[in-house]
Amino acid sequence: MCGIVGYIGNKRLTSVLLDGLRRLEYRGYDSAGIAVVNEGGLQVVRCAGKLRDLEESLRLNPLEGTYGVGHTRWATHGRPTEENAHPHRDCTGRLVVVHNGIIENYVELKRELQKRGHAFKTETDTEVMAHLIEEKVRDHPLEEAVRLTLPELRGVYAISVISADEPKKIVAARNGPPLVVGLGKDEYFVASDVPAILHHTRDVFFLDDREIAVVTEQGVQIRDMEGRNVAKKVQRITWDPIMAEKSGFKHFMLKEIYEQPRAVRDTLLGRVSQETGKIFLEEMEISPEEFRKVRRISLVACGTSWHAALVGKFLLERLVRVPVEVDIGSEFRYRDPILHPDDLVVVISQSGETADTLAAQREARAKGLKTVAICNVVGSMITREASGVIYTHAGPEIGVASTKAFTAQLVALQLLALHLAEIRGSLAPEAAKEHITRLLHLPVQIEQILGSDPLIEEVAKEYYRASDFLFLGRGVNYPIALEGALKLKEISYIHAEGYPAGEMKHGPIALIDKNLPVVALAFGDRVYEKMMGNIEEVKAREGRIIAVTQEGNCDLGKIASHVITVPKTADLLTPILAVIPLQLLAYHIALRRGCDVDQPRNLAKSVTVE
């Protein structure tokens, strides 16, 4: 998402800031800006669009200084305009803030500040921070003003603040999104991620949540929210820029599993209204009338994205009440599908360059259909050829085994289903509001599941020598059984199968004995009793049951060898929570087997050829 770069040193300031922002372009953005302080005071240049637009503005109006900050913004609050681009000023124009994240209570803060005479110039949530700090900096040093402001904010943030009244000082703070400080020779950096500064320095430390960094030309001080000094150990980065993105995690896959609360939150940002129950999908060139005419939807994807599509079938049929087909991309065009002009084709791809999915999209377009793309990469081929796009905003996914991209795809499908339900009137407004409320609570619930990682690691210790696994699910969680099996087989090389539990007696039950681990997904939905009956059948044949269920379920403790719980939610949202323990289980089993978790044999991250 948003990129932040700050610099104090002797190099050419604008070059450092622009180069750093360029190295953060992978995060996606729609506007950019820089603020520098020089003898003329604080000066800001901002542009909607890409960095090349900002560079052209600076070419026409050169700007230099002794310290400053830069920012690339992905719009959440307010349109992607020059006015809404960062950095944001206070009323005096001598203080600016750049921000990555979202301030949830900005509306009430803005109202209070307006009552106290503050004039706002943007539609963003970030601007409230500049005005809050402005009030406190009248009586306190900049770092103290920032520290006093942060407790007033609800939400997540990584910020950098500079003031023309406190020369050569950058105050940075983190609560959620990453922030790294770089230590050079007589120069210092602040950035959203290591690649922005790696070619300048390899000595860095990462801010932890609720920490504040005060960067001056004399050095860096770290304090907590109570103002106490914090000792940080400088890390020497020995990796190349790609490796540096691990941010201290042992593997990309583990880092990306832990990034899922952020990925879900970012995919929802700016797209849902809890108050009205409405969904906002900006990049959609399909009219409401065209959506109302849709009589059938085809979901097309490959691999993990195909599992997301299978979940999407349940969502769309239940919420939108329209028939849905799910196709594997490599099969779609070769079966010469029968498509009606009023059908809608939705293609799902993390990279947006998956050859089979792209070919399926082109087949649909050749038959006169409009397509919607769910994708993680801005400007990829699939998004360029689609009539509508829902970007997942999961951030770059380096690990070959998809984790955060999958959960973000599930969230995007939720958004699509709610959007269509709103347009077609298939879901009552109150039901939509309730669904959105539960959606917004998912990041916190995922964080709770990640807290169970040590328990899941213990389960992995018991089963990592198994030669086979069976994953069972029913209803909307059947695709998650498939996904759990895929994760395990692709990174640990254990043979694993995912099955709808009701089909067990049509073959897989023959495999069950005392040596076979069976992962069973059982939640309090309409098929719960049926699922419990299937689990009893496994138990009767001495299968070793690893149950994944919702908190408070006491039934499975008497049957299963191990029970892993996730927080309760609506049944259509359980796939997003149920998959997290399966990702962690696969990771820990593969690690114990000595496998290359991030680069499994014979696999590539993006399949760009058939």
Side-chain angles (χ1 to χ4, degrees), residues 238-251:
T238 58
W239 318 309
D240 58 29
I242 291 284
M243 292 293 289
E245 294 171 17
K246 287 184 183 177
S247 300
F249 285 91
K250 190 171 184 178
H251 295 95

Side-chain angles (χ1 to χ4, degrees), residues 181-201:
V181 176
L183 313 174
K185 185 177 180 181
D186 298 321
E187 59 181 1
Y188 300 91
F189 307 82
V190 176
S192 298
D193 210 347
V194 168
I197 60 176
L198 191 57
H199 62 300
H200 294 289
T201 180

Side-chain angles (χ1 to χ4, degrees), residues 252-549:
F252 281 115
M253 182 179 179
L254 186 62
K255 173 179 180 277
E256 288 157 4
I257 289 172
Y258 272 77
E259 285 179 332
Q260 287 175 114
R262 193 270 311 153
V264 170
R265 188 180 289 115
D266 285 353
T267 301
L268 290 170
L269 279 179
R271 289 172 164 169
V272 299
S273 171
Q274 192 173 0
E275 183 178 345
T276 65
K278 292 185 178 297
I279 303 298
F280 306 97
L281 300 179
E282 296 292 333
E283 310 215 17
M284 199 64 66
E285 297 176 7
I286 302 175
S287 69
E289 183 57 34
E290 288 173 310
F291 275 134
R292 277 190 282 270
K293 288 181 179 178
V294 169
R295 71 176 197 176
R296 184 181 61 171
I297 298 173
S298 291
L299 301 173
V300 184
C302 300
T304 284
S305 297
W306 180 66
H307 297 156
L310 290 172
V311 175
K313 175 181 173 69
F314 286 90
L315 296 175
L316 289 161
E317 290 191 340
R318 182 93 67 87
L319 298 178
V320 187
R321 306 309 298 160
V322 63
V324 178
E325 292 185 358
V326 180
D327 272 279
I328 295 174
S330 57
E331 297 292 329
F332 183 77
R333 62 178 171 147
Y334 295 114
R335 70 176 177 85
D336 191 19
I338 299 170
L339 299 172
H340 187 274
D342 290 332
D343 288 354
L344 176 68
V345 174
V346 180
V347 290
I348 308 173
S349 168
Q350 188 282 137
S351 67
E353 305 290 346
T354 308
D356 293 320
T357 307
L358 182 58
Q361 181 186 36
R362 288 171 174 167
E363 175 78 8
R365 293 179 67 224
K367 294 188 175 183
L369 275 69
K370 290 191 172 183
T371 64
V372 171
I374 293 175
C375 184
N376 194 40
V377 180
V378 176
S380 59
M381 187 65 71
I382 280 173
T383 66
R384 293 201 300 271
E385 298 195 8
S387 302
V389 182
I390 305 175
Y391 284 113
T392 51
H393 301 330
E397 189 176 64
I398 308 300
V400 167
S402 182
T403 52
K404 65 177 180 175
F406 175 71
T407 52
Q409 287 170 351
L410 295 182
V411 172
L413 284 162
Q414 294 275 348
L415 293 173
L416 178 62
L418 289 168
H419 183 61
L420 291 177
E422 175 192 332
I423 290 172
R424 296 165 68 97
S426 58
L427 189 66
E430 289 306 314
K433 291 178 189 177
E434 175 64 21
H435 200 89
I436 288 171
T437 298
R438 291 179 181 273
L439 264 175
L440 291 170
H441 196 49
L442 286 175
V444 173
Q445 293 181 313
I446 294 172
E447 288 170 352
Q448 290 178 245
I449 299 169
L450 294 172
S452 302
D453 192 13
L455 167 65
I456 297 167
E457 186 175 6
E458 288 301 312
V459 175
K461 288 180 184 178
E462 187 167 334
Y463 296 101
Y464 76 96
R465 292 189 180 92
S467 57
D468 302 276
F469 263 77
L470 182 62
F471 289 73
L472 299 176
R474 296 192 78 133
V476 72
N477 290 303
Y478 149 57
I480 302 306
L482 296 178
E483 175 63 12
L486 176 61
K487 281 294 149 289
L488 185 64
K489 73 178 76 170
E490 67 183 339
I491 65 170
S492 75
Y493 317 141
I494 293 175
H495 171 252
E497 287 191 55
Y499 246 84
E503 286 290 292
M504 188 171 59
K505 286 180 282 191
H506 293 272
I509 200 167
L511 299 173
I512 298 174
D513 61 19
K514 63 182 180 181
N515 297 313
L516 182 71
V518 179
V519 179
L521 307 176
F523 295 89
D525 52 22
R526 60 180 69 178
V527 293
Y528 175 70
E529 291 182 356
K530 297 287 186 185
M531 187 68 205
M532 288 299 294
N534 298 137
I535 293 172
E536 291 282 7
E537 290 168 344
V538 173
K539 183 68 172 178
R541 288 155 182 83
E542 299 186 79
R544 301 160 72 189
I545 300 165
I546 304 167
V548 180
T549 188

